[in-house]
Amino acid sequence: MLATPISQQMAVGIDIGGTNTVFGIVDHRGEISYRGAISTKKHANIKDYLDELHEAILPALNQFGIDKLIKGIGIGAPNGNYYTGKIEYAPNLPWKGEIPLADLIQEKFGLPAALTNDANAAAVGEMTYGAAKGMKDFIMITLGTGVGSGIVINGELVYGHDGFAGELGHTIIIPGGRKHWSTGAHGSLETYTSATGVTLTAIELLNKYKDKPSILRNYDEDEIDSRLIYDCAIQGDELAKETYAFTGEILGRALANFVMFSSPEAIILFGGLCKAGSLIFQPAKKTMEENLLPIFQNKVQIIPSELKESDAAILGASALVWELK
Amino acid sequence: MLATPISQQMAVGIDIGGTNTVFGIVDHRGEISYRGAISTKKHANIKDYLDELHEAILPALNQFGIDKLIKGIGIGAPNGNYYTGKIEYAPNLPWKGEIPLADLIQEKFGLPAALTNDANAAAVGEMTYGAAKGMKDFIMITLGTGVGSGIVINGELVYGHDGFAGELGHTIIIPGGRKHWSTGAHGSLETYTSATGVTLTAIELLNKYKDKPSILRNYDEDEIDSRLIYDCAIQGDELAKETYAFTGEILGRALANFVMFSSPEAIILFGGLCKAGSLIFQPAKKTMEENLLPIFQNKVQIIPSELKESDAAILGASALVWELK
């Protein structure tokens, strides 16, 4: 049998979320030719979950020829550890403790598998198919429900000594600042630049500037979320815009510190908050530059992800496969 | 001619300081078999400087056989850029602008040469001969007149996109905090954990707690320096000890953020301030742990350098040679 040319190889990308698992078959250029999803939540038993996943993916594998074109399976999951191949104590998944998922998938599918957390997968995806193509040094920050990060140095993802490197959302930017709803830490990046953080900032500003009119005042506090704030901001609502300005400033402070650590070529931002565009990019850039040592100034781009948000998780997971040795 | 066995190869290490340049010939195990020094300051002309350096090192090279045993020359210098081999705008050296020092040395000596800044050289030295032997992921922090850093990830020094990575002394730990005497930034690590920072903290505490007795009150403010504070602290002076406790706490906050970036196996501390031992290590460790996400807690050692302070600069510079491809 002749070997398959590398350019024709395909990868399976699986992204495991707390509610659903999505997957796809991806080629070298990031084209997704098959997509599917199953429920994560309903499977308290990992064996049942793997059975359903296998059944769902099997038709696609047969179509492509499991032993010929598919190079392997990449998996993005919360608390996924690249070194051990285990999901370790993920608070929002149905399986407790340590789950040796890479091994289980490898066994079930008879294909090499690699696992990492979702933010790391996003960074590899961006490097393989997106805005970081050709970059050897960049930092990816995901601004979503939480704040995740993936760091690439010398063309390789930084996993650190134990596989858990790159928790930039939990670095403390404002000592003694806002208390994190889950970790209890004060002033971490995530308390300000996540969807929840933005919502808390808007509510704080509404209470602080009682005389300032805002569309947001038409809603109860518990109706305010990051989507509503975004809608108000693009309608020109001053208080909503100020919410983004503040968020961008905190982000900029954090980015300056990250740049002085690893001196990347670019910072790539991904996730819901990026939709606000210059409302957040512009203050982030300005504050970052102000906090940088001169040798770092005006060198680092802050750019949005080039991956479609709905595809990014599958693409990121699939990109792990091309890194398999 | 037979090739020299690698174990018998030697390296030249040159450390360029603002006042003096020191050098030595070093073997694979970090034994320095020849040492020397020339003035840096007196040579406004780089050519004269290189002539004197060459003349000073030549006897040693002849002794070891320039074309046989010496593998190359490593140079540590302020603002030394590994990628370009240039010293770039070093404020405290006699030569202005960009000096292509690695090329100049290579030409003058007919040996391969590598250049980096002093803190990066210290990190490579520690990895080759010292406390970080066998470690692939660690962060070296030098606590001296200034605060420098060298970061090792996957067994390689992090230079970043432009060669300037690892300026952790300039990361902002206390936004709006103490103003840096030279950069003007507020609350950077160096403003608190350098020799100058410690001195400023002691003076602040003396003024804040006027009723608190201290040996330091026997001195004028401009007589107080980090050495005096150290002497007082080991004599049990409470205010001097508190100065270290505060310094350690700030350091611990910074270290927590660094750990959540690259998840190192260890933090290695080097420089004058380390002499204070547990007075600074203990609060640094405690505060670091308090600020870490649980998955990072109780995993990262904080350890002192194992290189003799007087040898470290030469050893660090020489260690660059073993990394030459």
Side-chain angles (χ1 to χ4, degrees), chain A residues 79 83 137 139 151 153-154 156-168 170-176 183 253 256-265 291 293 295-296 299, chain B residues 79 83 137 139 151 153-154 156-168 170-176 183 253 256-265 291 293 295-296 299:
Chain A
N79 289 27
Y83 289 144
D137 296 277
I139 297 175
I151 302 156
I153 289 177
N154 288 332
E156 293 193 356
L157 205 62
V158 175
Y159 291 109
H161 156 250
D162 58 353
F164 288 116
E167 287 291 350
L168 298 183
H170 296 285
T171 60
I172 306 298
I173 308 305
I174 309 292
T183 68
R253 285 176 188 274
N257 279 359
F258 304 158
V259 166
M260 292 191 280
F261 192 111
S262 70
S263 198
E265 183 174 349
N291 282 277
L293 207 59
I295 49 163
F296 297 106
K299 282 181 171 179
Chain B
N79 289 27
Y83 290 144
D137 296 278
I139 297 175
I151 302 156
I153 290 178
N154 288 334
E156 293 193 356
L157 205 62
V158 174
Y159 291 110
H161 156 250
D162 58 353
F164 288 117
E167 286 291 351
L168 299 182
H170 295 286
T171 59
I172 307 297
I173 308 305
I174 308 291
T183 68
R253 285 177 188 273
N257 278 359
F258 304 158
V259 166
M260 292 192 281
F261 192 111
S262 69
S263 198
E265 183 175 348
N291 282 277
L293 207 61
I295 49 163
F296 297 107
K299 282 182 172 179

Side-chain angles (χ1 to χ4, degrees), chain A:
Chain A
M1 195 186 81
L2 289 168
T4 305
I6 287 173
S7 64
Q8 288 176 32
Q9 287 182 337
M10 306 288 277
V12 180
I14 301 175
D15 180 70
I16 304 179
T19 309
N20 291 311
T21 294
V22 294
F23 56 85
I25 315 273
V26 184
D27 73 10
H28 262 274
R29 289 182 304 197
E31 297 290 330
I32 304 178
S33 52
Y34 185 99
R35 290 162 206 269
I38 67 165
S39 166
T40 310
K41 205 165 53 177
K42 78 169 189 197
H43 293 292
N45 185 315
I46 183 75
K47 204 188 149 294
D48 296 344
Y49 170 80
L50 287 170
D51 285 344
E52 189 182 341
L53 190 64
H54 188 247
E55 247 171 66
I57 296 180
L58 209 59
L61 294 184
N62 287 337
Q63 179 184 333
F64 287 103
I66 192 166
D67 55 350
K68 288 200 286 273
L69 290 173
I70 304 285
K71 189 182 177 205
I73 300 176
I75 312 143
N79 289 27
N81 186 318
Y82 178 78
Y83 289 144
T84 64
K86 292 177 181 169
I87 296 177
E88 305 188 7
Y89 305 93
N92 55 349
L93 293 184
W95 320 300
K96 300 305 155 211
E98 299 189 353
I99 308 292
L101 197 78
D103 284 352
L104 291 171
I105 294 265
Q106 189 151 337
E107 221 167 86
K108 189 86 189 173
F109 289 82
L111 283 165
L115 169 77
T116 190
N117 72 39
D118 24 11
N120 282 344
V124 184
E126 210 66 50
M127 182 163 62
T128 311
Y129 315 115
K133 230 187 279 179
M135 288 188 191
K136 300 191 78 173
D137 296 277
F138 70 95
I139 297 175
M140 172 104 191
I141 311 271
T142 63
L143 303 165
T145 316
V147 174
S149 62
I151 302 156
V152 171
I153 289 177
N154 288 332
E156 293 193 356
L157 205 62
V158 175
Y159 291 109
H161 156 250
D162 58 353
F164 288 116
E167 287 291 350
L168 298 183
H170 296 285
T171 60
I172 306 298
I173 308 305
I174 309 292
R178 188 182 285 168
K179 188 174 175 181
H180 192 285
W181 41 92
S182 141
T183 68
H186 285 269
S188 63
L189 184 60
E190 187 166 273
T191 56
Y192 296 99
T193 67
S194 60
T196 309
V198 168
T199 305
L200 290 173
T201 297
I203 292 170
E204 276 179 23
L205 292 176
L206 285 167
N207 289 320
K208 189 172 169 191
Y209 303 110
K210 295 247 182 239
D211 297 337
K212 193 160 192 165
S214 168
I215 313 170
L216 292 167
R217 296 199 189 278
N218 302 332
Y219 298 85
D220 287 339
E221 275 192 10
D222 58 8
E223 292 174 311
I224 296 176
D225 63 14
S226 61
R227 183 179 298 256
L228 177 67
I229 298 163
Y230 169 72
D231 290 341
C232 293
I234 55 164
Q235 288 173 57
D237 186 85
E238 282 303 324
L239 200 135
K241 281 161 66 181
E242 214 171 298
T243 299
Y244 279 114
F246 176 80
T247 307
E249 194 193 308
I250 300 280
L251 179 61
R253 285 176 188 274
L255 296 183
N257 279 359
F258 304 158
V259 166
M260 292 191 280
F261 192 111
S262 70
S263 198
E265 183 174 349
I267 307 276
I268 296 170
L269 300 181
F270 175 84
L273 257 60
C274 298
K275 269 191 289 189
S278 65
L279 289 176
I280 193 159
F281 278 75
Q282 198 248 321
K285 172 85 176 158
K286 180 167 177 284
T287 309
M288 178 183 83
E289 296 292 351
E290 285 167 0
N291 282 277
L292 283 174
L293 207 59
I295 49 163
F296 297 106
Q297 282 166 3
N298 304 311
K299 282 181 171 179
V300 185
Q301 309 172 63
I302 303 181
I303 48 182
S305 161
E306 284 179 9
L307 302 182
K308 245 173 67 186
E309 192 158 353
S310 55
D311 289 347
I314 290 171
L315 290 174
S318 78
L320 292 174
V321 172
W322 312 124
E323 308 285 313
L324 284 170
K325 297 277 150 63

Side-chain angles (χ1 to χ4, degrees), chain B residues 140-195:
Chain B
M140 171 105 191
I141 312 271
T142 62
L143 304 165
T145 315
V147 173
S149 63
I151 302 156
V152 171
I153 290 178
N154 288 334
E156 293 193 356
L157 205 62
V158 174
Y159 291 110
H161 156 250
D162 58 353
F164 288 117
E167 286 291 351
L168 299 182
H170 295 286
T171 59
I172 307 297
I173 308 305
I174 308 291
R178 189 183 285 167
K179 187 174 177 183
H180 193 285
W181 41 92
S182 143
T183 68
H186 284 269
S188 64
L189 184 60
E190 187 166 273
T191 57
Y192 296 99
T193 67
S194 60

Side-chain angles (χ1 to χ4, degrees), chain B residues 9-303:
Chain B
Q9 286 182 337
M10 307 286 278
V12 180
I14 301 175
D15 180 70
I16 304 179
T19 310
N20 291 310
T21 294
V22 294
F23 56 85
I25 315 274
V26 183
D27 72 11
H28 262 276
R29 288 183 304 196
E31 296 290 330
I32 304 178
S33 52
Y34 186 99
R35 292 162 205 268
I38 67 166
S39 167
T40 312
K41 205 167 53 179
K42 78 169 190 198
H43 293 291
N45 184 315
I46 184 76
K47 203 187 150 297
D48 297 343
Y49 170 79
L50 287 169
D51 286 344
E52 189 182 341
L53 190 64
H54 189 247
E55 245 171 67
I57 296 180
L58 209 59
L61 294 184
N62 287 337
Q63 180 184 332
F64 286 102
I66 192 166
D67 56 350
K68 289 199 288 271
L69 290 173
I70 304 284
K71 189 183 177 203
I73 300 176
I75 312 144
N79 289 27
N81 186 318
Y82 178 78
Y83 290 144
T84 63
K86 291 176 181 169
I87 295 177
E88 304 187 9
Y89 305 93
N92 56 350
L93 293 184
W95 321 300
K96 300 305 155 208
E98 299 190 353
I99 307 292
L101 197 79
D103 285 353
L104 291 171
I105 294 264
Q106 190 151 336
E107 221 167 84
K108 189 84 188 175
F109 289 82
L111 283 166
L115 168 77
T116 190
N117 73 39
D118 23 12
N120 282 345
V124 185
E126 211 67 50
M127 181 164 61
T128 312
Y129 315 116
K133 228 187 282 177
M135 287 188 192
K136 300 191 80 174
D137 296 278
F138 70 95
I139 297 175
M140 171 105 191
I141 312 271
T142 62
L143 304 165
T145 315
V147 173
S149 63
I151 302 156
V152 171
I153 290 178
N154 288 334
E156 293 193 356
L157 205 62
V158 174
Y159 291 110
H161 156 250
D162 58 353
F164 288 117
E167 286 291 351
L168 299 182
H170 295 286
T171 59
I172 307 297
I173 308 305
I174 308 291
R178 189 183 285 167
K179 187 174 177 183
H180 193 285
W181 41 92
S182 143
T183 68
H186 284 269
S188 64
L189 184 60
E190 187 166 273
T191 57
Y192 296 99
T193 67
S194 60
T196 309
V198 168
T199 305
L200 290 173
T201 297
I203 292 170
E204 277 179 22
L205 292 176
L206 284 166
N207 289 320
K208 190 171 169 193
Y209 303 109
K210 294 249 183 235
D211 297 336
K212 193 161 192 165
S214 168
I215 313 170
L216 291 166
R217 298 200 189 276
N218 302 331
Y219 298 85
D220 288 339
E221 275 193 9
D222 58 7
E223 292 175 310
I224 295 175
D225 63 14
S226 60
R227 183 179 298 256
L228 178 66
I229 298 162
Y230 169 70
D231 289 342
C232 293
I234 55 164
Q235 287 172 59
D237 186 86
E238 282 303 323
L239 200 135
K241 282 161 66 182
E242 213 170 298
T243 299
Y244 280 115
F246 175 80
T247 307
E249 195 193 307
I250 300 281
L251 180 60
R253 285 177 188 273
L255 295 183
N257 278 359
F258 304 158
V259 166
M260 292 192 281
F261 192 111
S262 69
S263 198
E265 183 175 348
I267 308 275
I268 296 169
L269 300 180
F270 175 83
L273 257 59
C274 297
K275 269 190 290 186
S278 65
L279 289 175
I280 193 160
F281 279 74
Q282 199 250 320
K285 172 83 177 162
K286 181 168 177 285
T287 309
M288 178 183 84
E289 296 292 350
E290 284 167 2
N291 282 277
L292 284 173
L293 207 61
I295 49 163
F296 297 107
Q297 282 167 3
N298 304 311
K299 282 182 172 179
V300 186
Q301 310 172 62
I302 304 180
I303 49 181

